[in-house]
Amino acid sequence: QVALVESGGGLVQAGGSLRLSCTASGNIFNINVMGWYRQASGKQRELVAAITSEGRTNYADSVKGRFTISRDNAKNTVYLQMNSLEPADTAVYYCNARRLYSARDYWGKGTLVTVSS
């Protein structure tokens, strides 16, 4: 039983910035990987960025250099700093968490990011 709650989405103009937060609660034992996915209208859900408990990160090529993922293990919180936002970044952003070697993924309800031109 792991609950993920996202915050920080909203409407921003192209070139602007947003910071997303996701806090995990419940049975968070051995939650090793947390990350962000997004799903734009008419498109598949895709990985944006992920971070392990050790601090190893992965980014989608489309966001490298613009987005930064970070994690506060003490607070069970993962952040996504999004800079230089583009209309193509418009999507529902979902927080994700999983345990190492586990097939089960936990998901937040999502937070909408809308980037206007």
Side-chain angles (χ1 to χ4, degrees):
Q1 297 177 333
V2 176
L4 303 174
V5 179
E6 306 105 330
S7 63
L11 175 65
V12 66
Q13 290 188 323
S17 298
L18 286 173
R19 188 186 190 223
L20 306 182
S21 299
C22 173
T23 298
S25 62
N27 184 14
I28 60 173
F29 181 71
N30 281 349
I31 291 291
N32 302 107
V33 185
M34 297 185 71
W36 294 92
Y37 288 70
R38 68 185 182 187
Q39 186 166 21
S41 179
K43 296 185 178 180
Q44 75 282 0
R45 187 174 298 187
E46 64 177 351
L47 174 69
V48 178
I51 186 168
T52 68
S53 297
E54 297 80 18
R56 179 178 292 186
T57 59
N58 286 303
Y59 295 92
D61 288 341
S62 60
V63 306
K64 284 184 177 179
R66 299 189 297 120
F67 292 8
T68 302
I69 190 169
S70 60
R71 182 172 181 170
D72 187 334
N73 290 328
K75 296 181 179 179
N76 303 311
T77 299
V78 64
Y79 307 93
L80 185 68
Q81 179 66 46
M82 304 185 293
N83 298 326
S84 301
L85 283 162
E86 305 168 353
D89 296 316
T90 296
V92 177
Y93 285 70
Y94 297 92
C95 184
N96 169 266
R98 65 181 183 270
R99 298 179 175 89
L100 197 63
Y101 307 124
S102 175
R104 181 169 184 172
D105 284 87
Y106 299 94
W107 296 94
K109 293 183 178 180
T111 184
L112 177 63
V113 172
T114 303
V115 184
S116 65
S117 59

